[in-house]
Amino acid sequence: MTPARPTPPPPIPPPTPPHAGLPPKPRAAVVRDALGVGAAVGLSGFAFGVTSAGAGMTLAQTCVLSLLVFTGASQFALVGALGAGGAPLAAAAGALLLGVRNAFYGLRLSQMLGLPAAVRPLAAHWVIDETSAVALAQPDRRLARLGFTVTGVTLYAGWNITTLLGALGAEALGDPAAWGLDVAGPAVFLALLLPMIRDRSSAAPSARDGATPAPGRGEAGTATARPIRAGALRHEVAVAVLAVLLALACVPFLPAGVPVLVAVLAAPAVLGVAALRSRSAARRERTAAERTHRAAREEEA
């Protein structure tokens, strides 16, 4: 009697795309979201116009800065440092450091959008937090391009128009400090920062709860991912706290704009300490394992 052949294992299904199984997102929804983001954030250009005029920038300088730079955090940092009497080079360096993140957005968007080479230099001018967030939230390239374009056009137009209105209003009102408008810049920073902190804190537990184990590893994938995410979050908090302390400690002794540059040293300092602690922990584990192995061999002997 011929033995039955073993049943082959079922084939492993291919990985499911992140947006698979979801209904197609209508273009109208993408346009609505993009218009909402662009219009809401574009209004903060009024605060920049007021802050820039209060820092001593002329109307032309303020408008050209919004037209050519077009990244809110860097613009606020630049005029803030100049208004506090900082050197132009230090102010520009601090603004450049804040704008470096847009280069990383561009690396991701260049693959996702797949724009022609002739269009990329123009599109790069619109690579900021808001356009990147809207584009990366879309399920396919067609909608990502639509969201990026609508957000970029709306935000660029709104930001520059409100910058002009803010600068004109500040010139008509006179000294912005007399009206309390000199706090517009810090207020906008806080308004942009608080939602990011809230989203970060709410996303961390959900990411842990929704983590799926790696194929063939059972629950080990989730168990391994949790301490990695927790360690990364601790490092980010440590970098932020140390950067604030460094900047505050340097404010009384260094010109305006330079404390921000010193605060950058917080990242390599925290990462260096973390690497040393990791190597020390690995060394202790290796020593403990060698001792256990040696003790086991002595018992066998």
Side-chain angles (χ1 to χ4, degrees), residues 73-75 77-79 81-82 86-101 256-264:
S74 296
Q75 292 179 228
L78 178 64
V79 299
L82 294 176
L89 185 59
L96 181 62
L97 285 175
L98 287 174
V100 166
R101 70 189 188 282
V258 178
V260 176
L261 303 180
V262 176
V264 176

Side-chain angles (χ1 to χ4, degrees), residues 4-61:
R5 288 183 294 179
T7 304
I12 300 176
T16 304
H19 299 279
L22 298 178
K25 192 172 184 179
R27 291 171 58 90
V30 178
V31 173
R32 182 190 64 238
D33 295 343
L35 287 174
V37 171
V41 180
L43 292 176
S44 60
F46 182 83
F48 171 72
V50 172
T51 305
S52 180
M57 304 280 285
T58 66
L59 177 62
Q61 290 172 333

